[in-house]
Structures are given as structure tokens and as C-alpha cells.
Amino acid sequence: MLSSSKLNSVCAERKMSLEQLAGHLAHGGMSTDDALRALKNWQKNLLKPAPKTEDVERLADGLGVAVGDISEWRASYRYAPSSPRKARLVTEMINGRSVQDALDVLKFEHKRAARMVEQVLSSAIANADEQEANVEELYVCEARVDGAGRRIGTKAWHPKDRGRAHPIRKQASHIHVAVAEI
């Protein structure tokens, strides 16, 4: 998957304009205008249209860098049965660490959300390995948790005094992890 922050930094470092990159991207069957429009979206982290593997390879060739230098690999766990507040404590511990160090931290963490984050991190590593990235040089570039609302099937009530009832609100969360090469 194309990383917009890495793409922006490499473009600034190489002093490449969007028009030059659109010329490299247009060789794959896109028109120059469509390629320029797609590049502007990709620089803003709007992945519409989604960049294909061939597009990322053409961009890397046009910039003169390896494909791994502008890529990152993601995985997510949607509607994880943990509150976002509790899961954020775990993701903050691994953000910015090397992959092996993050796996070691999660292995010895006693929080319930650590197992879920460990699964997502392992999936992101497998995605990177499938794209032939160097697994030894991966680090966690992004680990975040978004709220997903109330968990399905948790509509229950605590009986209170004088006929009242208070709802039991069990929260769900979306866990997102991205890894990139150093």
C-alpha cells in the first residue's frame, strides 16, 4: 500500500513535481490528467482511486527509489470486543517500535486488548512478508484505535431502586496497525 507521508518526503527530497510523476504513471494506460488527479489524492492520503501494485512500482521507478521506500502495510480488526480507551493504552506502547520489540512487549502484557493488537500486528507483518518486504527492518509506523460504538448483543440493564433501570454499555473498537520499512 502506498504511504502518502513517505511519497511526499521522497518527492520533496528528489525535487520531483507532480507533472513529472504523472508522466511516469501515465505510461501504464492512464491519461496524464487522470494520473495527475490520482497523485494529488494520494499525496493527501485519499486513496481514491486505490493505487495498484503496478502504480506503486511505476512511482518508485520514476522517483528512483525501491518500492519499500514509499510503501507501508496495514491490517485492522473491526469491531474488536474491547473499549477504545483500554485498547489505546496498548497501542500507545508499540507505536514507533521495531516489529520484534513490539511483539515482545505485547507477549508479556497482561491486558486483554494486547492479544487483539498482537493478532493485528502479526497480520500486518504477514502482509509485508507477502509483498517481499524485509521483515527484519520493519517498524510500527502507525497504531491507532477508533471507537466502533456499542457492541452487538450487549443490550442489557442493571435493575435499580424504585423500578428504574440503567443500561449496560459495552463498547467495541476498530484497531488499525501499519508497518513500514526503515
Side-chain angles (χ1 to χ4, degrees):
M1 178 65 69
L2 184 67
S3 171
S4 63
S5 60
K6 286 185 172 188
L7 178 66
N8 291 335
S9 65
V10 170
C11 284
E13 179 184 308
R14 303 280 174 151
K15 296 180 178 150
M16 294 279 291
S17 68
L18 288 179
E19 289 78 19
Q20 292 170 332
L21 281 178
H24 286 284
L25 199 57
H27 293 292
M30 264 190 209
S31 70
T32 308
D33 293 335
D34 290 340
L36 187 61
R37 197 173 306 119
L39 274 171
K40 286 180 181 178
N41 283 344
W42 295 343
Q43 278 193 327
K44 296 176 189 173
N45 203 16
L46 302 172
L47 299 176
K48 301 282 182 176
K52 298 177 184 156
T53 306
E54 299 86 31
D55 297 335
V56 176
E57 289 171 356
R58 280 192 207 93
L59 282 175
D61 185 44
L63 290 168
V65 295
V67 175
D69 293 341
I70 59 171
S71 296
E72 66 183 22
W73 297 273
R74 298 175 174 268
S76 62
Y77 185 168
R78 311 254 308 150
Y79 299 102
S82 176
S83 73
R85 183 176 177 180
K86 293 176 183 177
R88 277 189 199 108
L89 293 173
V90 177
T91 57
E92 287 173 0
M93 289 191 309
I94 67 166
N95 211 356
R97 292 183 183 245
S98 71
V99 168
Q100 189 58 45
D101 192 24
L103 285 172
D104 291 341
V105 167
L106 291 173
K107 183 177 181 180
F108 293 105
E109 180 58 40
H110 293 293
K111 295 188 180 298
R112 180 178 175 221
R115 304 290 87 66
M116 296 175 223
V117 174
E118 185 177 8
Q119 288 176 349
V120 177
L121 179 59
S122 297
S123 178
I125 294 169
N127 291 341
D129 190 29
E130 185 149 326
Q131 297 293 323
E132 299 175 0
N134 188 359
V135 179
E136 303 295 324
E137 295 184 6
L138 291 177
Y139 75 101
V140 180
C141 63
E142 178 188 18
R144 65 183 168 88
V145 177
D146 298 332
R150 191 194 261 172
R151 277 186 4 212
I152 297 171
T154 60
K155 189 172 184 180
W157 304 91
H158 277 299
K160 294 294 179 176
D161 58 342
R162 290 184 263 164
R164 295 185 182 136
H166 290 184
I168 297 173
R169 295 185 187 102
K170 293 190 176 184
Q171 298 293 313
S173 57
H174 300 310
I175 302 171
H176 304 281
V177 176
V179 296
E181 284 184 325
I182 294 174

